[in-house]
Amino acid sequence: MGIFYNNAVCDIYIGKSAGTKLIQDIRNAKKNVKIVSPYLSPNLIKELIFLHNKGIEVSLITTDEIEDFYGHEKNINKLIIQEQQVDESAKQSYDSLKNLSALLLFIIISLAIALIPLIFLLEQPKLAFGFIAVVLLFLIRNYIVSELKKKKIYHYTYKQLFPFKVFVSPGQGSGSINKTFIHSKIYIIDDEIAYMGSLNFTAKGVKENYETRIRTADPNAVRKIVEEVDRLLSNSELAERDVQYWGSQLYSEPIN
């Protein structure tokens, strides 16, 4: 894993706002954009969604250290789409129990309302034993309600808005022995321009931090970089988050 290429022609920039030219080139993309960045910011995820909606092919490699995952504005949810499936047989059973619960509630209330005046008007205290039936019906209904809460009628699957990989960071568990952190920051536009350096695809990386980046349109160098990024996208041995797992972490999943 990895490449070495010598004598590439490139532009070098060191300082703040290192991403100004990068963002301009990304917005001017005609065919595709490929990004490797371990950290992402919500507003820059919006840039990728905008490109996708324009018909530009977007590919992304990131890690489970995504800033957006922990932030308030979760645009990562727009990259992972939740699809809800209904278990029809479970739903029919759920609806039947729900109707039975409503019927029992009606009977309980009606019986209680009928017993109270009968006891006093007819002066028949023995009718108070009728409340035993009310209590029993209440317990039965309470059991049915508890079963309703546990009944699972919805199942969830997830799909990606565009191709991306979320690699597992070292120390994140999940049974992985992965010790390699994808720390590279690589940006490829139309397979013709490549950026590399220290800036993450974050607001601070692009604008505020003191960063280092190179920009090259050297055909041979770009071709090598494209090959490496494509290899990471299609055939990496590194542990990665499954989209089904990742989606379940981002979304709530009501069962009924």
Side-chain angles (χ1 to χ4, degrees), residues 23-172:
I23 296 300
Q24 184 182 61
D25 280 345
I26 286 175
R27 288 173 177 170
N28 290 332
K30 299 295 187 294
K31 297 181 298 182
N32 59 65
V33 170
K34 300 172 183 177
I35 293 176
V36 180
S37 177
Y39 303 96
L40 305 172
S41 284
N43 65 316
L44 293 178
I45 289 177
K46 286 181 180 178
E47 294 278 352
L48 302 184
I49 294 169
F50 177 74
L51 288 174
H52 171 77
N53 291 338
K54 280 177 57 181
I56 305 298
E57 292 183 10
V58 178
S59 302
L60 172 66
I61 294 173
T62 188
T63 70
D64 50 7
E65 301 288 342
I66 298 174
E67 174 186 331
D68 191 36
F69 179 71
Y70 304 99
H72 174 68
E73 186 183 9
K74 297 186 183 298
N75 285 296
I76 190 69
N77 289 59
K78 298 172 185 175
L79 300 187
I80 298 180
I81 301 165
Q82 184 187 64
E83 296 182 327
Q84 184 187 78
Q85 285 85 38
V86 179
D87 184 331
E88 292 297 339
S89 62
K91 188 175 186 305
Q92 289 177 6
S93 174
Y94 178 88
D95 290 341
S96 296
L97 286 175
K98 190 174 181 180
N99 291 335
L100 178 58
S101 172
L103 176 62
L104 286 174
L105 180 60
F106 175 77
I107 294 172
I108 291 167
I109 294 172
S110 300
L111 188 55
I113 291 173
L115 283 172
I116 292 172
L118 286 174
I119 291 170
F120 290 100
L121 291 175
L122 299 179
E123 297 181 353
Q124 292 291 329
K126 290 183 179 180
L127 290 175
F129 287 108
F131 281 103
I132 295 175
V134 172
V135 172
L136 288 174
L137 289 172
F138 175 81
L139 292 174
I140 292 170
R141 181 182 180 274
N142 192 54
Y143 172 76
I144 291 172
V145 169
S146 68
E147 289 299 302
L148 279 172
K149 291 178 180 178
K150 292 186 291 184
K151 189 164 285 294
K152 187 173 183 178
I153 63 175
Y154 297 128
H155 299 273
Y156 299 89
T157 57
Y158 298 89
K159 65 180 182 180
Q160 298 177 337
L161 181 66
F162 53 74
F164 66 89
K165 281 192 174 186
V166 179
F167 285 117
V168 178
S169 300
Q172 289 296 320

